[in-house]
Amino acid sequence: MSLTPQDIARIANLARLELKPDESERMLTQINGFFGIVEAMQAVDTTGIEPMAHPVAAIQDITLRLRPDVVSEPNQRDLNQRSAPAVERGLFLVPKVIE
Amino acid sequence: MSDLHQLSVKALADLLKSGQVSAVEVATRFLARTGGNPHNAFLDIDSEVTLAQARASDAKLADGTAGPLEGVPVAHKDVFVTRDFATTAGSKILSGYRSPFDATVVQRLRTAGMVTLGKLNCDEFAMGSANENSAYGPVQNPWDTSRVPGGSSGGSAAVVAAGLAPAATGTDTGGSIRQPASFCGITGIKPTYGRASRYGMIAYASSLDQAGPMARSAEDCALLLSAMCGPDLDRDSTSLDMPAEDFTASLNRPIEGLRIGVPLEWWGNGVQCAWFPDMPARRSEGVQVEVQIAIENALKEFEKLGAKLVPISLPRTELSIPVYYIIAPAEASSNLSRFDGVKFGHRAKDYTDLVDMYKKTRAEGFGNEVKRRIMTGAYVLSHGYYDAYYLQAQKIRRMIADDFQRAFTECDVIAGPVAPSVAWKFGENAGDPVADYLADIFTLPASLAGLPAMSVPAGFGAQGMPVGLQLIGNYFKEAQLLNAAHRLQQATDFHLRQPEGI
Amino acid sequence: MTAKLVQGYEVVIGFETHTQLSTQSKIFSRASVAFGAEPNTQACAVDMALPGTLPVMNEGAVQRAIEFGLAINAHIAERSVFARKNYFYPDLPKGYQISQFEIPVVQGGEVSFFMEEGQETVRKTVRLERAHLEEDAGKSLHEDSALGGGGQSGIDLNRAGTPLLEIVTQPDMRSSDEAVAYAKELHKIVTWIGICDGNMQEGSFRCDANVSVRKPGAELGTRREIKNLNSFKFMQQAIDYEVRWQIDQIEDGHTIQQATVLFDPDTGETRAMRTKEDAADYRYFPDPDLPPLVIGRDWVERVKSEMAELPRVMAERFVRDYALPEYDATQLTQSKAVAAYFEATAKACGQPKLASNWIMGEVSRRLNTSEMAIEQAPVSAAQLAALIGRISDNTISNNAARQVFDHLWQPKIAELVVSDSLEDVTAGVIALAALKQIDDIIEAKGLKQMNDTGELEKIIDDVLAAHPKNVEEFKAGNTKALNGLVGPIMKASKGKANPGQVNALLMKKLG
């Protein structure tokens, strides 16, 4: 299978990336080039195989660790916002959100 | 002492403990060498911060509260966030970013006493195998400045090879510690996934990312790895609840009888596997003859040390390329969504509305390879493709891990090349990302399985460029890997060789 | 459920309710979830999605999910998975929401409630599809036009990462009445078991209603989702409006487009939101930062053994043990406090039905008018029990009792209220202090009924003598004439005569 220019446009929008025409073209060729080597994967019979999330699950059961419900984070707003592009009265500023 | 920069971590630590040299002297010496930023290896340096840490270390050395590596300098790959240095992950989108906290690994090394020299250049968000994808320019290979240092931890490998730091941290997602270590003739190890905390490591592919040390020798790596690893239960849900371990303890253990597995799929290219000529040589990703010879010589050394070579099979080696390049971009496309120009980092100057702000910010902030992987990842996760790509890849991933478990019933460690070639010249693979992808073939399998793996200097190939031997161990067998590597380094001197004029 | 038709259409409603769980800290970070703090002061590095941060799961949120699952007889998944829901929005700091997709923690279950249909009360049951754990988003503030010199929104991430349990029903509701009744019952359950504070104004309990209409027996119609219904009143208005709107559209030959709509309380109308173009493609995949959530049977059993009696179970017990009508039982189990007040009173006075009548009558009427919670009632359970005791032993009439009650209710009496912890009420025993207080008031007001027959007979004889006409008429068979006698007798006894006794004596004397 191979991607179409429409796929590239759709995905670029999903991923919130503005691509110039030439970029989109290069992207299309390169990604399709990559999917050339992906074909091999499709042939593999994986029936009954559990997908692996945490690698070490290959030898032991890895389950979610739970922490006690305790508050211990101090207010570090200024420190946390020191690299923010636009802040006013502690709020992050963004172009108006219309609902 | 003018040759401080030639000393190993071990030697420096001993000198500092004996008081023959102070942390400030050591730091000053290395800071002096970073002047003019040789090889474009550093992205941030702040002598004030470094010297302040050195003074604190001297105080600890004086009052006997020193850590095991007190006063020894280290530099961190720029994907580890740091409070006192800028952190960019080699990306424009994070230019000038200041983290409010230190990564757990950074914190642990500081607690062990190490003094931070600065932050190191790397491929943008650790995506690359030549360090040509850094927004801040490529890093040069100290052995031949017209060649790449490997990637993504290129800056880390270069500073160690060039004597700009005795050791550095790196991260390995698909080979980003092992391959640059191999290209720059140093030693680097990636521990079992979950051994080192990922908290404070800017995520590329969450289920693959692991931190590890890069230094000249296995012994130096063991010293750093012991300090880096250990559970981080409060901060990282994938961190394993295993006590920290002293990886130096068993370095000198003899390796008589050690069974070294040789994956037949990794040999070929016309050259029969020296040990099993009757075995049909399967195709491999065009391993350079010099690389193969260096590897075989290293294996002969192991035999001299009493190790036994056994043929093993890793039948899905080639599949690991598509599997990795599906899984890693998928996770990356999601991990990189937080870079949207709202809370931190770069925001486009001109935009019409919110969506336009997102699109322009990300278009300006990300480089081509990162955009490519975001696109690929978003595509394989998108409606109707998830099962065929991401899910299928995660299933084959388990089969690959199972292949290793089968192999480890016949051997203790697995040995082979790190990369099919030595470091290539800048721009050689330009415009053909797939060529770079294929060159990862030998490092991807261990990454997908989450196994500990390392690169050990094993000689020199074409144009006298270094060649690295890859050693892969079973889960939690870092000590065994380091032991084998250390014994090899006792018998060889490849790890001590240095580029001209260091 | 039998469908009530609207203009020949069947209404089909399903609910998605986001309940904020009553934990101290957030679902994946150690920041506080307290409401109303200064912007972004309760958003830590993890909540702001700063580079390098990772999620760590809060046990308290899982505990509450288990409690809810047990409360609605659902299956608690031994193994559930957290997934990433990817989309860009300024109040979503990571660019994805950590939620549960393919395998939720709570599966199935049902919510039952009673509804008045004509004369009889019918039991309705809404099946739940699932309830899953997820993180809340931050808030976008658009109101403040001054921000950034205008035209900008401000993002506050204090709410980001607040634990949510999203409760999803089957499309089982057939009218706005049923929908509201379901929402009220669900609200009662989550507040009763204490997993949510239920504060709808602060957004702790947010309902989305999926509404569609169809001709009976036809395929399900296209649904429109009404978002963030934060009061039961608006819920009803919004659904009714939406139903009418959809029917009108169809009648006018239009087709309904799937959409997300908002209800505007001012206009009483619903309007479609600006749709996120790619909302359709969230690219869900298991979150590699979070291994599967595994809940052992032992944990579920432990929670079960520690859980408080549920409202429906308690109501059934009231019917069984106190012989109350189902209606009374349901009313008295609207809140834990009311139920406890009732049980204390009933146990003490041994008169459950009387206790029920008084609590559903006098007590709740006064609580409503003075907008008080039952915990603040000036009349304690022990006092009410004592009062009921004095009615049933004929010491005072109901009217007199009401006067005593009025007197006790006065705020100035409040400090005299006999404190009695509801627990230490022993069956059939009325607190002496309370009894003494009641008797003192009866005494002071002279409300004691006249039970001394001799004295009463004398009064009756005088009255009979004074009203020969009524006596004749009665004897002639006009029973009404009796009232003409009872009145003066009660008057002469200054209202202290026991009406029952008066009747008995009259009959004796006239029969």
Side-chain angles (χ1 to χ4, degrees), chain B residues 387-464:
Chain B
D387 289 10
Y389 294 115
Y390 188 78
L391 200 61
Q392 175 75 348
Q394 286 287 35
K395 288 176 177 175
I396 300 175
R397 181 180 186 177
R398 183 176 290 273
M399 297 167 100
I400 290 170
D402 293 344
D403 290 341
F404 274 108
Q405 287 315 298
R406 218 168 291 112
F408 280 119
T409 60
E410 299 157 9
C411 66
D412 304 307
V413 303
I414 294 169
V418 169
S421 75
V422 295
W424 54 84
K425 285 188 174 292
F426 285 111
E428 243 171 49
N429 291 352
D432 180 11
V434 177
D436 278 0
Y437 297 176
L438 295 176
D440 295 339
I441 184 161
F442 298 129
T443 49
L444 297 181
S447 294
L448 289 166
L451 294 165
M454 66 187 297
S455 174
V456 188
F460 296 85
Q463 293 83 28

XYZ file of all heavy atoms in Angstrom, chain B residues 387-464:
580
model
N -4.571 -1.547 14.005
C -4.354 -3.000 14.112
C -3.273 -3.485 13.150
O -2.403 -4.264 13.519
C -5.658 -3.748 13.820
C -6.662 -3.564 14.950
O -6.399 -2.711 15.827
O -7.694 -4.253 14.951
N -3.339 -2.986 11.927
C -2.421 -3.476 10.891
C -0.975 -3.092 11.178
O -0.048 -3.837 10.854
C -2.835 -2.935 9.531
N -0.784 -1.930 11.827
C 0.585 -1.472 12.037
C 1.018 -1.538 13.503
O 1.799 -2.404 13.903
C 0.764 -0.052 11.482
C 0.617 -0.010 9.986
C -0.426 0.684 9.373
C 1.507 -0.699 9.176
C -0.562 0.702 8.000
C 1.387 -0.692 7.787
C 0.356 0.003 7.214
O 0.229 0.014 5.848
N 0.488 -0.644 14.343
C 0.985 -0.566 15.722
C 0.785 -1.885 16.470
O 1.718 -2.439 17.055
C 0.298 0.575 16.484
C 0.905 0.809 17.841
C 2.105 1.505 17.987
C 0.301 0.303 18.991
C 2.678 1.693 19.226
C 0.869 0.495 20.238
C 2.054 1.191 20.355
O 2.629 1.374 21.583
N -0.425 -2.425 16.415
C -0.714 -3.652 17.156
C 0.121 -4.815 16.617
O 0.751 -5.550 17.380
C -2.207 -3.975 17.055
C -2.751 -4.906 18.133
C -2.577 -4.294 19.520
C -4.225 -5.216 17.879
N 0.167 -4.948 15.299
C 0.965 -6.006 14.670
C 2.431 -5.870 15.105
O 3.080 -6.848 15.459
C 0.836 -5.913 13.142
C 1.712 -6.873 12.356
C 1.204 -8.304 12.372
O 0.313 -8.653 13.149
N 1.794 -9.156 11.529
N 2.941 -4.645 15.123
C 4.336 -4.412 15.506
C 4.584 -4.836 16.950
O 5.588 -5.482 17.265
C 4.696 -2.944 15.317
N 3.626 -4.489 17.850
C 3.804 -4.852 19.264
C 3.761 -6.366 19.463
O 4.356 -6.899 20.398
C 2.722 -4.186 20.128
C 2.928 -2.691 20.334
C 4.078 -2.366 21.278
O 5.088 -3.054 21.322
N 3.926 -1.295 22.052
N 3.061 -7.069 18.572
C 3.016 -8.542 18.664
C 4.340 -9.139 18.183
O 4.931 -9.986 18.848
C 1.849 -9.082 17.829
C 0.490 -8.802 18.444
C -0.635 -9.275 17.534
C -1.994 -9.053 18.190
N -3.101 -9.400 17.266
N 4.815 -8.643 17.040
C 6.095 -9.158 16.525
C 7.202 -8.823 17.524
O 8.122 -9.598 17.742
C 6.407 -8.569 15.134
C 5.298 -8.945 14.157
C 7.761 -9.055 14.638
C 5.447 -8.327 12.781
N 7.029 -7.677 18.205
C 8.006 -7.282 19.210
C 8.127 -8.372 20.276
O 9.224 -8.733 20.701
C 7.568 -5.968 19.856
C 8.544 -5.464 20.896
C 8.041 -4.168 21.499
N 9.030 -3.599 22.407
C 8.881 -2.437 23.039
N 7.770 -1.729 22.850
N 9.821 -1.975 23.841
N 6.994 -8.934 20.684
C 7.049 -9.993 21.693
C 7.737 -11.238 21.114
O 8.528 -11.879 21.796
C 5.646 -10.349 22.188
C 5.640 -11.399 23.288
C 4.255 -11.670 23.816
N 3.690 -10.557 24.587
C 3.892 -10.380 25.889
N 4.655 -11.230 26.564
N 3.334 -9.357 26.516
N 7.487 -11.522 19.832
C 8.146 -12.685 19.210
C 9.653 -12.488 19.195
O 10.423 -13.417 19.468
C 7.623 -12.874 17.777
C 6.135 -13.181 17.691
S 5.507 -13.022 15.991
C 5.497 -14.741 15.519
N 10.071 -11.243 18.942
C 11.507 -10.942 18.924
C 12.095 -11.145 20.322
O 13.144 -11.766 20.501
C 11.748 -9.502 18.419
C 11.424 -9.410 16.921
C 13.174 -9.053 18.701
C 11.387 -7.999 16.370
N 11.362 -10.686 21.341
C 11.818 -10.868 22.724
C 11.897 -12.353 23.060
O 12.837 -12.800 23.717
C 10.875 -10.146 23.681
N 10.908 -13.121 22.582
C 10.910 -14.569 22.849
C 12.091 -15.251 22.159
O 12.685 -16.182 22.719
C 9.585 -15.190 22.395
C 8.404 -14.705 23.245
O 8.658 -14.158 24.342
O 7.243 -14.843 22.802
N 12.431 -14.777 20.947
C 13.608 -15.342 20.257
C 14.845 -15.214 21.142
O 15.637 -16.145 21.268
C 13.857 -14.607 18.926
C 12.788 -14.904 17.880
O 12.094 -15.924 18.045
O 12.653 -14.108 16.935
N 14.990 -14.053 21.775
C 16.145 -13.839 22.659
C 16.104 -14.816 23.832
O 17.121 -15.414 24.187
C 16.171 -12.401 23.183
C 16.844 -11.420 22.273
C 16.117 -10.479 21.561
C 18.230 -11.422 22.130
C 16.735 -9.556 20.732
C 18.861 -10.502 21.302
C 18.113 -9.564 20.601
N 14.902 -14.990 24.438
C 14.819 -15.901 25.579
C 15.218 -17.310 25.164
O 15.906 -18.023 25.900
C 13.406 -15.876 26.173
C 13.105 -14.587 26.936
C 14.248 -14.185 27.855
O 14.590 -14.926 28.789
N 14.879 -13.044 27.579
N 14.822 -17.708 23.955
C 15.223 -19.026 23.452
C 16.744 -19.075 23.332
O 17.392 -20.010 23.795
C 14.551 -19.271 22.097
C 14.081 -20.704 21.882
C 13.160 -20.818 20.662
N 11.863 -20.172 20.860
C 11.457 -19.074 20.220
N 12.264 -18.469 19.353
N 10.263 -18.549 20.454
N 17.311 -17.993 22.751
C 18.769 -17.959 22.543
C 19.516 -18.058 23.879
O 20.524 -18.749 23.995
C 19.153 -16.686 21.812
N 18.961 -17.384 24.900
C 19.675 -17.355 26.187
C 19.607 -18.684 26.943
O 20.179 -18.812 28.018
C 19.166 -16.201 27.054
C 19.758 -14.870 26.672
C 18.955 -13.830 26.241
C 21.134 -14.676 26.714
C 19.496 -12.598 25.878
C 21.689 -13.457 26.356
C 20.855 -12.414 25.927
N 18.880 -19.645 26.367
C 18.958 -20.978 26.985
C 20.233 -21.672 26.505
O 20.696 -22.634 27.112
C 17.741 -21.850 26.573
O 17.745 -21.988 25.151
C 16.449 -21.224 27.056
N 20.810 -21.147 25.415
C 22.017 -21.776 24.858
C 23.281 -20.967 25.115
O 24.396 -21.452 24.903
C 21.842 -21.961 23.342
C 20.676 -22.863 22.958
C 20.186 -22.603 21.543
O 20.847 -21.843 20.801
O 19.111 -23.131 21.186
N 23.122 -19.710 25.531
C 24.311 -18.884 25.750
C 24.077 -17.908 26.902
O 22.953 -17.750 27.372
C 24.661 -18.114 24.479
S 23.396 -16.889 24.062
N 25.173 -17.264 27.361
C 25.080 -16.317 28.469
C 25.012 -14.888 27.960
O 24.230 -14.080 28.455
C 26.293 -16.486 29.385
C 26.427 -17.921 29.876
O 25.436 -18.450 30.410
O 27.502 -18.516 29.673
N 25.853 -14.590 26.976
C 25.785 -13.271 26.341
C 25.812 -13.473 24.830
O 26.257 -14.512 24.349
C 26.955 -12.345 26.761
C 27.000 -12.166 28.265
C 28.272 -12.896 26.248
N 25.307 -12.477 24.125
C 25.293 -12.533 22.664
C 26.263 -11.482 22.146
O 26.330 -10.368 22.691
C 23.866 -12.274 22.128
C 22.942 -13.415 22.556
C 23.875 -12.098 20.614
C 21.464 -13.136 22.323
N 27.053 -11.842 21.137
C 28.042 -10.904 20.604
C 27.866 -10.725 19.100
O 27.482 -11.658 18.391
C 29.451 -11.394 20.907
N 28.137 -9.512 18.649
C 28.055 -9.227 17.212
C 28.455 -7.795 16.974
O 28.853 -7.090 17.910
N 28.337 -7.327 15.754
C 28.662 -5.929 15.486
C 27.600 -4.989 16.051
O 26.475 -5.407 16.282
C 28.692 -5.856 13.963
C 27.847 -7.000 13.498
C 27.957 -8.060 14.546
N 27.991 -3.735 16.321
C 27.032 -2.711 16.719
C 26.382 -2.147 15.468
O 25.168 -1.963 15.403
C 27.728 -1.575 17.503
C 26.786 -0.393 17.689
C 28.232 -2.094 18.843
N 27.206 -1.909 14.459
C 26.732 -1.317 13.199
C 27.431 -2.006 12.032
O 28.529 -2.526 12.200
C 27.031 0.177 13.189
N 26.796 -2.023 10.882
C 27.391 -2.693 9.712
C 28.629 -1.989 9.194
O 29.403 -2.560 8.449
C 26.286 -2.625 8.649
C 25.054 -2.187 9.362
C 25.485 -1.435 10.570
N 28.834 -0.719 9.621
C 29.951 0.042 9.058
C 30.597 0.904 10.133
O 30.102 0.979 11.251
C 29.422 0.973 7.953
O 28.740 2.066 8.547
N 31.704 1.538 9.749
C 32.293 2.557 10.618
C 31.588 3.882 10.319
O 30.740 3.948 9.424
C 33.814 2.695 10.354
C 34.539 1.412 10.742
C 34.075 3.062 8.889
N 31.959 4.914 11.048
C 31.327 6.224 10.868
C 31.445 6.691 9.423
O 32.503 6.578 8.819
C 31.972 7.237 11.798
N 30.319 7.154 8.872
C 30.349 7.624 7.484
C 30.573 9.132 7.424
O 30.567 9.814 8.454
C 29.079 7.232 6.755
C 27.796 7.673 7.431
C 27.200 8.884 7.333
C 26.982 6.887 8.298
N 26.055 8.918 8.083
C 25.889 7.691 8.682
C 27.065 5.570 8.793
C 24.884 7.234 9.551
C 26.057 5.125 9.646
C 24.986 5.955 10.010
N 30.788 9.621 6.209
C 31.044 11.050 6.037
C 29.737 11.826 6.082
O 28.680 11.301 5.739
C 31.757 11.303 4.704
C 33.220 10.898 4.723
C 33.920 11.347 3.450
C 35.421 11.074 3.507
N 36.081 11.947 4.521
N 29.825 13.074 6.526
C 28.642 13.928 6.584
C 27.924 13.940 5.237
O 28.566 13.957 4.193
C 29.023 15.359 6.961
C 29.353 15.516 8.405
C 30.670 15.780 8.811
C 28.374 15.370 9.387
C 30.973 15.917 10.161
C 28.693 15.509 10.733
C 29.983 15.769 11.111
N 26.614 13.873 5.289
C 25.820 14.012 4.074
C 25.736 12.769 3.215
O 25.028 12.742 2.211
N 26.442 11.680 3.613
C 26.438 10.480 2.776
C 25.034 9.905 2.602
O 24.650 9.515 1.499
C 27.362 9.415 3.361
C 28.534 9.066 2.450
C 29.547 8.172 3.150
O 29.124 7.153 3.752
O 30.743 8.520 3.134
N 24.281 9.885 3.702
C 22.920 9.340 3.617
C 21.866 10.423 3.477
O 20.669 10.155 3.598
C 22.602 8.506 4.860
C 23.419 7.230 4.875
O 24.088 6.926 3.896
N 23.385 6.527 5.992
N 22.312 11.641 3.261
C 21.375 12.764 3.240
C 20.246 12.506 2.252
O 20.458 11.971 1.171
C 22.113 14.049 2.863
N 19.045 12.849 2.662
C 17.905 12.716 1.759
C 17.374 11.292 1.677
O 16.337 11.049 1.080
N 18.094 10.330 2.279
C 17.596 8.954 2.259
C 17.492 8.401 3.677
O 18.360 7.646 4.117
C 18.524 8.072 1.421
C 18.032 6.631 1.376
O 16.882 6.385 1.815
O 18.801 5.766 0.938
N 16.443 8.828 4.407
C 16.315 8.383 5.801
C 16.331 6.868 5.932
O 16.917 6.326 6.856
C 14.966 8.950 6.241
C 14.259 9.371 4.994
C 15.320 9.652 3.996
N 15.746 6.163 4.950
C 15.663 4.707 5.069
C 17.056 4.082 5.182
O 17.262 3.122 5.911
C 14.880 4.103 3.877
C 14.858 2.591 3.965
C 13.450 4.652 3.871
N 18.050 4.670 4.485
C 19.420 4.142 4.572
C 19.893 4.181 6.020
O 20.471 3.218 6.530
C 20.352 4.975 3.695
N 19.606 5.294 6.716
C 19.965 5.395 8.140
C 19.218 4.336 8.944
O 19.795 3.682 9.818
C 19.605 6.783 8.686
C 20.681 7.804 8.347
O 21.678 7.413 7.700
O 20.521 8.975 8.730
N 17.928 4.154 8.633
C 17.124 3.177 9.374
C 17.753 1.789 9.270
O 17.924 1.077 10.254
C 15.681 3.112 8.838
C 14.867 4.386 8.970
C 13.584 4.474 8.439
C 15.374 5.515 9.627
C 12.821 5.630 8.541
C 14.612 6.676 9.735
C 13.348 6.736 9.185
O 12.595 7.880 9.280
N 18.156 1.407 8.041
C 18.692 0.063 7.822
C 19.979 -0.153 8.607
O 20.267 -1.254 9.063
C 18.942 -0.161 6.319
C 17.689 -0.169 5.439
C 18.076 -0.289 3.964
C 16.736 -1.292 5.837
N 20.757 0.937 8.804
C 22.031 0.821 9.518
C 21.829 0.516 11.002
O 22.777 0.197 11.713
C 22.833 2.104 9.352
N 20.573 0.610 11.483
C 20.290 0.335 12.901
C 20.019 -1.141 13.166
O 19.719 -1.530 14.295
C 19.053 1.129 13.354
C 19.284 2.621 13.322
O 20.456 3.044 13.339
O 18.286 3.377 13.265
N 20.129 -1.964 12.114
C 19.649 -3.341 12.220
C 20.179 -4.128 13.424
O 19.437 -4.894 14.034
C 19.943 -4.123 10.920
C 19.362 -5.533 11.001
C 21.455 -4.167 10.642
C 19.199 -6.194 9.662
N 21.439 -3.927 13.808
C 22.002 -4.754 14.889
C 21.679 -4.231 16.289
O 21.786 -4.961 17.273
C 23.510 -4.896 14.716
C 23.894 -5.589 13.436
C 24.825 -5.027 12.579
C 23.292 -6.791 13.078
C 25.168 -5.667 11.385
C 23.630 -7.433 11.893
C 24.567 -6.865 11.038
N 21.284 -2.956 16.392
C 20.994 -2.422 17.731
C 19.504 -2.499 18.074
O 19.138 -2.553 19.245
C 21.443 -0.943 17.837
O 20.941 -0.220 16.712
C 22.966 -0.857 17.892
N 18.651 -2.520 17.024
C 17.205 -2.496 17.277
C 16.678 -3.720 18.032
O 15.848 -3.565 18.944
C 16.441 -2.336 15.957
C 16.696 -1.031 15.205
C 15.869 -0.985 13.929
C 16.354 0.169 16.100
N 17.131 -4.947 17.708
C 16.526 -6.105 18.396
C 16.596 -6.016 19.923
O 15.586 -6.202 20.610
C 17.349 -7.280 17.863
C 17.811 -6.838 16.509
C 18.077 -5.360 16.674
N 17.785 -5.698 20.481
C 17.911 -5.624 21.941
C 17.044 -4.492 22.506
O 16.465 -4.613 23.588
C 19.371 -5.409 22.332
N 16.922 -3.393 21.748
C 16.081 -2.280 22.199
C 14.629 -2.716 22.300
O 13.966 -2.486 23.304
C 16.189 -1.104 21.241
O 17.492 -0.558 21.261
N 14.144 -3.398 21.260
C 12.747 -3.835 21.249
C 12.482 -4.810 22.392
O 11.421 -4.803 23.002
C 12.414 -4.486 19.908
C 12.327 -3.512 18.729
C 12.333 -4.251 17.413
C 11.091 -2.624 18.878
N 13.474 -5.666 22.709
C 13.305 -6.649 23.772
C 13.564 -6.037 25.144
O 13.274 -6.661 26.161
C 14.234 -7.827 23.539
N 14.114 -4.825 25.197
C 14.403 -4.173 26.478
C 15.595 -4.775 27.202
O 15.723 -4.652 28.418
N 16.469 -5.444 26.456
C 17.623 -6.120 27.060
C 18.797 -5.176 27.270
O 18.943 -4.190 26.549
C 18.073 -7.264 26.148
C 17.101 -8.432 25.980
C 17.513 -9.287 24.796
C 17.034 -9.257 27.273
N 19.662 -5.461 28.257
C 20.875 -4.669 28.429
C 21.840 -4.979 27.289
O 21.939 -6.126 26.858
C 21.439 -5.151 29.763
C 20.926 -6.546 29.922
C 19.582 -6.553 29.258
N 22.490 -3.950 26.765
C 23.415 -4.153 25.652
C 24.468 -3.061 25.682
O 24.202 -1.958 26.169
C 22.656 -4.120 24.329
N 25.653 -3.386 25.198
C 26.720 -2.391 25.229
C 27.589 -2.445 23.983
O 27.521 -3.402 23.201
C 27.571 -2.549 26.477
C 28.379 -3.812 26.570
S 29.178 -3.942 28.215
C 30.269 -2.517 28.202
N 28.391 -1.399 23.823
C 29.365 -1.350 22.741
C 30.757 -1.267 23.361
O 30.987 -0.459 24.264
C 29.120 -0.131 21.851
O 30.155 -0.025 20.878
N 31.658 -2.132 22.884
C 33.017 -2.181 23.412
C 33.986 -2.000 22.246
O 33.849 -2.669 21.224
C 33.283 -3.556 24.071
C 34.620 -3.552 24.785
C 32.158 -3.916 25.020
N 34.963 -1.085 22.378
C 35.924 -0.885 21.292
C 36.593 -2.215 20.924
O 37.065 -2.927 21.802
C 36.946 0.085 21.875
C 36.184 0.829 22.937
C 35.239 -0.189 23.521
N 36.574 -2.545 19.625
C 37.074 -3.854 19.207
C 38.101 -3.748 18.085
O 38.420 -4.747 17.445
C 35.914 -4.725 18.776
N 38.602 -2.560 17.829
C 39.593 -2.421 16.766
C 39.213 -1.320 15.809
O 38.385 -0.458 16.124
N 39.857 -1.372 14.632
C 39.662 -0.291 13.676
C 39.394 -0.824 12.290
O 39.923 -1.850 11.896
C 40.878 0.633 13.695
C 41.046 1.317 15.027
C 41.733 0.672 16.054
C 40.475 2.549 15.266
C 41.854 1.283 17.305
C 40.601 3.162 16.505
C 41.283 2.516 17.526
N 38.536 -0.139 11.577
C 38.171 -0.588 10.234
C 38.660 0.364 9.184
O 39.730 0.957 9.311
N 37.845 0.540 8.151
C 38.210 1.376 7.026
C 38.659 2.757 7.491
O 38.086 3.324 8.423
C 37.015 1.508 6.076
N 39.685 3.291 6.851
C 40.247 4.618 7.174
C 40.561 4.759 8.662
O 40.456 5.840 9.234
C 39.301 5.742 6.739
C 39.135 5.887 5.238
C 38.111 4.909 4.692
O 37.178 4.506 5.395
N 38.314 4.496 3.450
N 40.894 3.646 9.304
C 41.302 3.701 10.713
C 40.222 4.190 11.650
O 40.516 4.692 12.736
